[in-house]
PDB file of all heavy atoms in Angstrom:
ATOM      1  N   VAL A 338     -27.258  28.497 -40.885  1.00  0.00           N
ATOM      2  CA  VAL A 338     -26.891  28.633 -39.600  1.00  0.00           C
ATOM      3  C   VAL A 338     -27.737  27.827 -38.661  1.00  0.00           C
ATOM      4  O   VAL A 338     -28.996  28.160 -38.665  1.00  0.00           O
ATOM      5  CB  VAL A 338     -26.778  30.129 -39.190  1.00  0.00           C
ATOM      6  CG1 VAL A 338     -26.352  30.279 -37.753  1.00  0.00           C
ATOM      7  CG2 VAL A 338     -25.865  30.906 -40.061  1.00  0.00           C
ATOM      8  N   CYS A 339     -27.141  26.910 -37.873  1.00  0.00           N
ATOM      9  CA  CYS A 339     -28.001  26.115 -37.030  1.00  0.00           C
ATOM     10  C   CYS A 339     -27.232  25.561 -35.854  1.00  0.00           C
ATOM     11  O   CYS A 339     -26.047  25.115 -36.104  1.00  0.00           O
ATOM     12  CB  CYS A 339     -28.656  25.057 -37.787  1.00  0.00           C
ATOM     13  SG  CYS A 339     -29.887  24.006 -36.808  1.00  0.00           S
ATOM     14  N   LYS A 340     -27.726  25.501 -34.688  1.00  0.00           N
ATOM     15  CA  LYS A 340     -26.976  25.095 -33.513  1.00  0.00           C
ATOM     16  C   LYS A 340     -27.058  23.487 -33.502  1.00  0.00           C
ATOM     17  O   LYS A 340     -26.142  22.825 -33.076  1.00  0.00           O
ATOM     18  CB  LYS A 340     -27.671  25.508 -32.210  1.00  0.00           C
ATOM     19  CG  LYS A 340     -26.730  25.318 -31.039  1.00  0.00           C
ATOM     20  CD  LYS A 340     -25.462  26.241 -31.211  1.00  0.00           C
ATOM     21  CE  LYS A 340     -24.516  26.143 -30.045  1.00  0.00           C
ATOM     22  NZ  LYS A 340     -23.328  27.027 -30.187  1.00  0.00           N
ATOM     23  N   TRP A 342     -26.371  20.721 -35.475  1.00  0.00           N
ATOM     24  CA  TRP A 342     -25.570  20.543 -36.733  1.00  0.00           C
ATOM     25  C   TRP A 342     -26.199  19.503 -37.638  1.00  0.00           C
ATOM     26  O   TRP A 342     -26.171  19.577 -38.862  1.00  0.00           O
ATOM     27  CB  TRP A 342     -24.077  20.171 -36.464  1.00  0.00           C
ATOM     28  CG  TRP A 342     -23.325  21.350 -35.908  1.00  0.00           C
ATOM     29  CD1 TRP A 342     -23.890  22.539 -35.464  1.00  0.00           C
ATOM     30  CD2 TRP A 342     -21.971  21.307 -35.350  1.00  0.00           C
ATOM     31  NE1 TRP A 342     -22.911  23.227 -34.869  1.00  0.00           N
ATOM     32  CE2 TRP A 342     -21.749  22.613 -34.863  1.00  0.00           C
ATOM     33  CE3 TRP A 342     -20.956  20.375 -35.521  1.00  0.00           C
ATOM     34  CZ2 TRP A 342     -20.473  22.873 -34.285  1.00  0.00           C
ATOM     35  CZ3 TRP A 342     -19.758  20.691 -35.024  1.00  0.00           C
ATOM     36  CH2 TRP A 342     -19.472  21.969 -34.508  1.00  0.00           C
ATOM     37  N   TYR A 363     -19.850  22.019 -41.922  1.00  0.00           N
ATOM     38  CA  TYR A 363     -19.354  23.011 -40.984  1.00  0.00           C
ATOM     39  C   TYR A 363     -17.735  23.077 -41.118  1.00  0.00           C
ATOM     40  O   TYR A 363     -17.114  22.613 -40.200  1.00  0.00           O
ATOM     41  CB  TYR A 363     -19.700  22.533 -39.549  1.00  0.00           C
ATOM     42  CG  TYR A 363     -21.243  22.874 -39.248  1.00  0.00           C
ATOM     43  CD1 TYR A 363     -22.118  21.960 -39.578  1.00  0.00           C
ATOM     44  CD2 TYR A 363     -21.585  24.040 -38.565  1.00  0.00           C
ATOM     45  CE1 TYR A 363     -23.517  22.192 -39.307  1.00  0.00           C
ATOM     46  CE2 TYR A 363     -22.965  24.271 -38.249  1.00  0.00           C
ATOM     47  CZ  TYR A 363     -23.865  23.349 -38.682  1.00  0.00           C
ATOM     48  OH  TYR A 363     -25.205  23.633 -38.401  1.00  0.00           O
ATOM     49  N   ASN A 366     -16.014  24.686 -38.190  1.00  0.00           N
ATOM     50  CA  ASN A 366     -16.243  24.104 -36.865  1.00  0.00           C
ATOM     51  C   ASN A 366     -15.786  22.706 -36.691  1.00  0.00           C
ATOM     52  O   ASN A 366     -15.544  22.227 -35.511  1.00  0.00           O
ATOM     53  CB  ASN A 366     -17.827  24.209 -36.526  1.00  0.00           C
ATOM     54  CG  ASN A 366     -18.408  25.486 -36.579  1.00  0.00           C
ATOM     55  OD1 ASN A 366     -18.971  25.916 -37.634  1.00  0.00           O
ATOM     56  ND2 ASN A 366     -18.177  26.403 -35.598  1.00  0.00           N
ATOM     57  N   MET A 409     -22.651  26.950 -40.819  1.00  0.00           N
ATOM     58  CA  MET A 409     -21.933  27.567 -39.847  1.00  0.00           C
ATOM     59  C   MET A 409     -22.660  27.555 -38.491  1.00  0.00           C
ATOM     60  O   MET A 409     -23.962  27.456 -38.396  1.00  0.00           O
ATOM     61  CB  MET A 409     -21.540  29.052 -40.115  1.00  0.00           C
ATOM     62  CG  MET A 409     -20.577  29.287 -41.246  1.00  0.00           C
ATOM     63  SD  MET A 409     -20.011  30.974 -41.234  1.00  0.00           S
ATOM     64  CE  MET A 409     -19.243  30.989 -42.871  1.00  0.00           C
ATOM     65  N   ASP A 410     -21.947  27.570 -37.357  1.00  0.00           N
ATOM     66  CA  ASP A 410     -22.539  27.532 -36.004  1.00  0.00           C
ATOM     67  C   ASP A 410     -23.018  29.032 -35.734  1.00  0.00           C
ATOM     68  O   ASP A 410     -22.385  29.956 -36.115  1.00  0.00           O
ATOM     69  CB  ASP A 410     -21.551  27.074 -35.003  1.00  0.00           C
ATOM     70  CG  ASP A 410     -22.169  26.885 -33.596  1.00  0.00           C
ATOM     71  OD1 ASP A 410     -22.696  25.813 -33.371  1.00  0.00           O
ATOM     72  OD2 ASP A 410     -22.139  27.876 -32.891  1.00  0.00           O
ATOM     73  N   PRO A 411     -24.088  29.162 -35.021  1.00  0.00           N
ATOM     74  CA  PRO A 411     -24.484  30.485 -34.625  1.00  0.00           C
ATOM     75  C   PRO A 411     -23.505  31.289 -33.852  1.00  0.00           C
ATOM     76  O   PRO A 411     -23.464  32.537 -33.753  1.00  0.00           O
ATOM     77  CB  PRO A 411     -25.825  30.268 -33.741  1.00  0.00           C
ATOM     78  CG  PRO A 411     -26.261  28.975 -34.162  1.00  0.00           C
ATOM     79  CD  PRO A 411     -25.130  28.055 -34.589  1.00  0.00           C
ATOM     80  N   GLY A 412     -22.576  30.563 -33.152  1.00  0.00           N
ATOM     81  CA  GLY A 412     -21.500  31.165 -32.427  1.00  0.00           C
ATOM     82  C   GLY A 412     -20.393  31.880 -33.354  1.00  0.00           C
ATOM     83  O   GLY A 412     -19.569  32.692 -32.792  1.00  0.00           O
ATOM     84  N   ASN A 413     -20.493  31.687 -34.613  1.00  0.00           N
ATOM     85  CA  ASN A 413     -19.533  32.229 -35.500  1.00  0.00           C
ATOM     86  C   ASN A 413     -20.033  33.620 -36.103  1.00  0.00           C
ATOM     87  O   ASN A 413     -20.006  33.916 -37.286  1.00  0.00           O
ATOM     88  CB  ASN A 413     -19.368  31.342 -36.703  1.00  0.00           C
ATOM     89  CG  ASN A 413     -18.695  30.001 -36.402  1.00  0.00           C
ATOM     90  OD1 ASN A 413     -19.038  28.916 -36.804  1.00  0.00           O
ATOM     91  ND2 ASN A 413     -17.670  30.090 -35.497  1.00  0.00           N
ATOM     92  N   GLU A 474     -26.924  33.734 -28.725  1.00  0.00           N
ATOM     93  CA  GLU A 474     -26.355  33.693 -30.142  1.00  0.00           C
ATOM     94  C   GLU A 474     -27.345  34.019 -31.175  1.00  0.00           C
ATOM     95  O   GLU A 474     -27.063  34.702 -32.081  1.00  0.00           O
ATOM     96  CB  GLU A 474     -25.750  32.345 -30.241  1.00  0.00           C
ATOM     97  CG  GLU A 474     -24.542  31.995 -29.571  1.00  0.00           C
ATOM     98  CD  GLU A 474     -23.988  30.619 -29.631  1.00  0.00           C
ATOM     99  OE1 GLU A 474     -24.817  29.698 -30.149  1.00  0.00           O
ATOM    100  OE2 GLU A 474     -22.879  30.337 -29.220  1.00  0.00           O
TER     101      GLU A 474
END
Side-chain angles (χ1 to χ4, degrees):
V338 179
C339 185
K340 200 65 181 181
W342 293 3
Y363 285 85
N366 303 101
M409 291 189 195
D410 188 89
N413 296 135
E474 290 176 344

